[in-house]
Amino acid sequence: MTTGKQQSWFFSLRGSLLFLAILTLLSFTYLSLRYSTPPPQVSKLSLTKLGDVPETGREEEQGGGEGEEEYSDTYHSPRVFKLNYEEMEKKFKVYIYPDGDPNTFYQTPRKLTGKYSSEGYFFQNIRESRFRTENPDQAHLFFIPISCHKMRGKGTSYENMTIIVQNYVESLISKYPYWNRTLGADHFFVTCHDVGVRATEGLEFLVKNSIRAVCSPSYDVGFIPHKDVALPQVLQPFALPAGGNDVENRTTLGFWAGHRNSKIRVILARVWENDTELDISNNRISRATGHLVYQKRFYRSKFCICPGGSQVNSARIADSIHYGCIPVILSNYYDLPFNDIIDWNKFSVVLKEKDVYQLKQILKSISDAEFVALHYNLVKVQKHFQWNSPPIRFDAFHMVMYDLWLRHHTIKY
């Protein structure tokens, strides 16, 4: 009798355990399916007709504040950018060496207009910003405030520029202890005109060790992407207001007009100047043809061709972004501004110079939906390519400072 009860109890226990095992297996299966499979996504493009602005865009245009708009997917990593940017605003400090006469080549900008105004704006903005510190012991980086653009304005030769820069930097090294702590790795200088690059190329200790923020960041002239910073070349003030959210008005496939001062520009003009769908001019548009004709063509074009000139950079890229025309970069060696922060493929077309022969086919292969997405993202990044005085959040100055903030973390003491 006892044996029968034991067997009954044994089978009851085994059945309960089996039931619990099955229940546990089903639970794990359910949870796995629920949390490992992403919910179906509805593409914005599938809901967006040509010329429409997505609903999120309308909210942002109406002043949605500093929410998701600043941290959109035009950044490589929106969350990382948000956290790092906020930390930069709270902590980043730069010490400006006080040496040098502002009336000669130091401290102050030459001017805030023209093709090289980015250099001038930086010199002015750094003094207007929260990042400046009078205490070198608090500084993360040290700014060498020498302006090669001011030297050029005074007619200084390249040879003399190099001597002036060398003498100035060596005087800072001998007077202050900060350079020798890192051999200059926590020092930076800013130059937009290519004369600044040439004037410093002869100073190996400066080029090799310090951070160069330059408008002509070409891989083939010693630019080091993980160390140096690409400064956006912006021709300000802009002649006309910013364009954007106006794709229905953009009926010209592609536009370029300019001097043929590089091999790629000569090829571009020769191959496409007689094309009926691409508006390619052999030279700059004469002012005699009408008021602001050149700038107004940006408004009518879907894509604006941006080949390098005497250097890899071109102010035409910032012009295209400002006027709402998708920039088409034609370059082999250009490290684009803020390339490690924003994804240029989200708002531009980046090509090699050899692609110039298939330019029309490439542009026509971009669908209407893809064009709308590029244009929508282009409007988002316009603020990054605008200088202001005083500077404002997320403008060109703050993006350059963010790049410098990232570089300071790579310095080894």
Side-chain angles (χ1 to χ4, degrees), residues 373-411:
L374 289 170
H375 181 84
Y376 177 60
N377 288 331
L378 183 72
V379 175
K380 289 182 179 180
V381 301
Q382 283 176 333
K383 59 182 174 290
H384 298 325
F385 296 86
Q386 169 84 45
W387 293 92
N388 302 282
S389 182
I392 62 176
R393 296 188 81 204
F394 303 106
D395 67 359
F397 171 73
H398 280 86
M399 294 296 282
V400 172
M401 293 302 293
Y402 181 77
D403 251 335
L404 290 169
W405 172 250
L406 296 181
R407 299 304 187 274
H408 114 269
H409 284 297
T410 67
I411 296 168

Side-chain angles (χ1 to χ4, degrees), residues 177-189:
Y178 311 114
W179 176 282
N180 290 325
R181 295 186 311 182
T182 64
L183 295 179
D186 56 357
H187 286 56
F188 72 95
F189 66 92

Side-chain angles (χ1 to χ4, degrees), residues 166-180:
Q166 181 172 359
N167 290 340
Y168 181 65
V169 175
E170 287 179 348
S171 71
L172 299 179
I173 294 174
S174 62
K175 183 176 179 179
Y176 301 94
Y178 311 114
W179 176 282
N180 290 325

Side-chain angles (χ1 to χ4, degrees), residues 61-80:
E61 287 176 349
Q62 293 168 1
E66 298 179 356
E68 297 302 320
E69 194 266 341
E70 279 84 359
Y71 311 114
S72 68
D73 60 2
T74 54
Y75 304 102
H76 291 297
S77 179
R79 182 173 178 274
V80 171

Side-chain angles (χ1 to χ4, degrees), residues 34-328:
R34 179 174 180 180
Y35 293 107
S36 66
T37 305
Q41 299 290 325
V42 180
S43 171
K44 287 183 180 180
L45 292 179
S46 65
L47 301 176
T48 307
K49 298 179 181 179
L50 182 62
D52 289 343
V53 179
E55 291 300 324
T56 54
R58 291 196 184 97
E59 292 171 4
E60 291 158 8
E61 287 176 349
Q62 293 168 1
E66 298 179 356
E68 297 302 320
E69 194 266 341
E70 279 84 359
Y71 311 114
S72 68
D73 60 2
T74 54
Y75 304 102
H76 291 297
S77 179
R79 182 173 178 274
V80 171
F81 174 73
K82 178 181 185 296
L83 295 174
N84 282 344
Y85 189 93
E86 291 172 351
E87 184 183 19
M88 174 197 73
E89 288 186 307
K90 294 176 183 176
K91 298 181 179 179
F92 194 22
K93 295 299 177 184
V94 173
Y95 179 74
I96 306 173
Y97 282 108
D99 303 60
D101 183 0
N103 294 319
T104 56
F105 315 126
Y106 312 96
Q107 303 298 337
T108 56
R110 178 184 172 189
K111 58 181 181 178
L112 300 181
T113 58
K115 292 192 296 182
Y116 310 110
S117 60
S118 293
E119 178 181 317
Y121 268 105
F122 187 90
F123 270 72
Q124 179 152 316
N125 285 169
I126 189 67
R127 297 178 179 281
E128 300 171 319
S129 73
R130 71 179 76 184
F131 303 113
R132 184 185 183 185
T133 178
E134 301 285 352
N135 184 356
D137 294 327
Q138 295 179 348
H140 300 93
L141 292 179
F142 294 80
F143 178 40
I144 303 172
I146 186 168
S147 172
C148 292
H149 192 210
K150 291 178 80 172
M151 293 187 207
R152 179 177 180 270
K154 295 180 182 295
T156 309
S157 67
Y158 292 131
E159 293 76 13
N160 287 336
M161 282 186 188
T162 301
I163 295 171
I164 292 170
V165 173
Q166 181 172 359
N167 290 340
Y168 181 65
V169 175
E170 287 179 348
S171 71
L172 299 179
I173 294 174
S174 62
K175 183 176 179 179
Y176 301 94
Y178 311 114
W179 176 282
N180 290 325
R181 295 186 311 182
T182 64
L183 295 179
D186 56 357
H187 286 56
F188 72 95
F189 66 92
V190 174
T191 180
C192 191
H193 198 289
D194 58 288
V195 297
V197 177
R198 296 184 194 178
T200 56
E201 281 178 345
L203 309 177
E204 185 176 352
F205 69 94
L206 188 63
V207 173
K208 182 179 179 180
N209 297 344
S210 64
I211 302 169
R212 296 192 296 170
V214 299
C215 280
S216 51
S218 178
Y219 297 131
D220 63 346
V221 293
F223 182 83
I224 305 173
H226 71 273
K227 176 181 75 69
D228 299 329
V229 173
L231 195 68
Q233 184 178 12
V234 185
L235 178 57
Q236 287 188 223
F238 294 109
L240 293 170
N245 299 323
D246 54 0
V247 292
E248 66 279 359
N249 299 327
R250 298 180 179 275
T251 55
T252 301
L253 178 62
F255 166 62
W256 177 78
H259 299 302
R260 295 189 297 171
N261 57 348
S262 66
K263 181 179 178 181
I264 184 60
R265 291 187 175 194
V266 171
I267 297 173
L268 175 65
R270 187 181 71 236
V271 175
W272 298 110
E273 65 178 325
N274 295 318
D275 191 85
T276 57
E277 294 180 271
L278 294 175
D279 181 6
I280 305 297
S281 300
N282 206 359
N283 288 293
R284 295 280 297 197
I285 298 172
S286 172
R287 293 181 181 180
T289 60
H291 184 58
L292 300 177
V293 171
Y294 172 74
Q295 289 82 358
K296 290 175 182 177
R297 290 198 187 180
F298 282 90
Y299 285 141
R300 300 201 302 266
S301 303
K302 291 182 176 180
F303 301 95
C304 289
I305 320 304
C306 303
S310 56
Q311 299 293 322
V312 294
N313 56 297
S314 171
R316 185 175 284 101
I317 296 175
D319 283 344
S320 301
I321 294 172
H322 175 77
Y323 294 119
C325 184
I326 307 300
V328 179

